[in-house]
Amino acid sequence: MDAQGLEWLLVPVRRLASWGAAGAMVFGGVVPYVPQYRDIRRSQNAEGFSTYVCLVLLVANILRILFWFGRRFESPLLWQSIIMIITMLLMLKLCTEVRVSNELNIKRRSFADFDLNYFWHWSKFTDYVQCVLTFTGVTGYITYLWLDSSLFVETLGFLAVFTEAMLGVPQLYRNHRNRSTEGMSVKMVLMWTSGDTFKTVYFVLNQAPLQFSICGLLQVLVDMAILLQVYLYSSYPQKAAAHPAHPASAKAL
């Protein structure tokens, strides 16, 4: 086979590989939440999933979309944010319905109460939507005013990916406090590690903004630190510290 014939064969292969990588970027981030959603729906118990995961991911992806208006990046990354926002809203809707149906306390809390003690613990899904729309409106207006400032745009991009990169830190800290990883899904952490590694490589190869690559690497390091805790606490069990339990983080399902 001559060089021209080989090139003719490689072009569609490369195109398919590019489409596959883009599809993995768009939908790969939401895959771990599919079994979680089904488990909550089946058991009608949302205690094992922290809705603060949804809060962090909503904030991170809204900021990322706003960053796109100031500095255009790969379309798959934009669609990834849109899909993730929809997924987190669906998770919030289910968790809110399940939690309210199981609550004995008949007092309802709403976003309009502006009570910080019950922030993100409201009784209706519409309250979460109001909060998300308010945050989007305020940050969107600020972005519109400062869109010509390169410093603001770059800072916005950094905040977007840095917020998402910090998802594993609460779990890392919780494991350290408890001197144990009991109750944490190791398979879930492995899934996040492989996904974060793929995502970071994708950022580098596609020359995404530098903030994406740096924070992607940070996510991988946090994942590896959690896996190191799994090894250390299983190989060298320690007496658990007497601390109250905290809600599971993004990687403790």
Side-chain angles (χ1 to χ4, degrees), residues 190-249:
L190 289 171
M191 186 181 297
W192 276 93
T193 305
S194 59
D196 291 339
T197 302
F198 171 81
K199 182 169 60 177
T200 303
V201 172
Y202 181 91
F203 290 157
V204 174
L205 294 180
N206 287 274
Q207 298 180 339
L210 184 61
Q211 299 98 319
F212 286 62
S213 300
I214 293 175
C215 291
L217 179 60
L218 180 59
Q219 281 183 281
V220 174
L221 292 176
V222 172
D223 295 338
M224 294 178 65
I226 295 175
L227 290 175
L228 179 61
Q229 287 180 323
V230 173
Y231 169 75
L232 291 176
Y233 294 148
S234 60
S235 301
Y236 309 98
Q238 302 180 41
K239 184 178 180 180
H243 295 294
H246 292 276
S249 74

Side-chain angles (χ1 to χ4, degrees), residues 159-174:
L159 288 176
V161 290
F162 184 76
T163 302
E164 185 176 354
M166 290 295 99
L167 272 175
V169 173
Q171 183 63 57
L172 188 71
Y173 179 64
R174 178 176 180 270

Side-chain angles (χ1 to χ4, degrees), residues 1-14:
M1 183 179 294
D2 57 18
Q4 186 176 1
L6 183 61
E7 183 66 22
W8 177 85
L9 179 63
L10 290 177
V11 167
V13 172
R14 291 171 181 167

Side-chain angles (χ1 to χ4, degrees), residues 96 99-115 117-118 121-124 127-128:
T96 303
R99 175 171 53 82
V100 171
S101 66
N102 293 333
E103 276 184 348
L104 298 178
N105 185 6
I106 61 175
K107 185 173 179 59
R108 299 303 186 216
R109 304 289 179 177
S110 69
F111 172 66
D113 293 337
F114 299 109
D115 187 345
N117 292 324
Y118 291 94
H121 289 286
W122 302 307
S123 303
K124 292 183 179 179
D127 293 305
Y128 293 94

Side-chain angles (χ1 to χ4, degrees), residues 106-189:
I106 61 175
K107 185 173 179 59
R108 299 303 186 216
R109 304 289 179 177
S110 69
F111 172 66
D113 293 337
F114 299 109
D115 187 345
L116 292 180
N117 292 324
Y118 291 94
F119 177 77
W120 214 249
H121 289 286
W122 302 307
S123 303
K124 292 183 179 179
F125 172 65
T126 52
D127 293 305
Y128 293 94
V129 175
Q130 290 174 20
C131 180
V132 171
L133 291 177
T134 300
F135 175 78
T136 304
V138 172
T139 54
Y141 181 67
I142 295 174
T143 301
Y144 172 76
L145 294 178
W146 291 87
L147 199 58
D148 293 332
S149 170
S150 59
L151 177 61
F152 174 82
V153 172
E154 295 301 326
T155 301
L156 184 66
F158 176 78
L159 288 176
V161 290
F162 184 76
T163 302
E164 185 176 354
M166 290 295 99
L167 272 175
V169 173
Q171 183 63 57
L172 188 71
Y173 179 64
R174 178 176 180 270
N175 294 342
H176 175 70
R177 281 168 57 94
N178 295 338
R179 298 292 191 271
S180 171
T181 57
E182 184 178 356
M184 183 190 71
S185 173
V186 178
K187 291 181 181 179
M188 182 63 65
V189 179

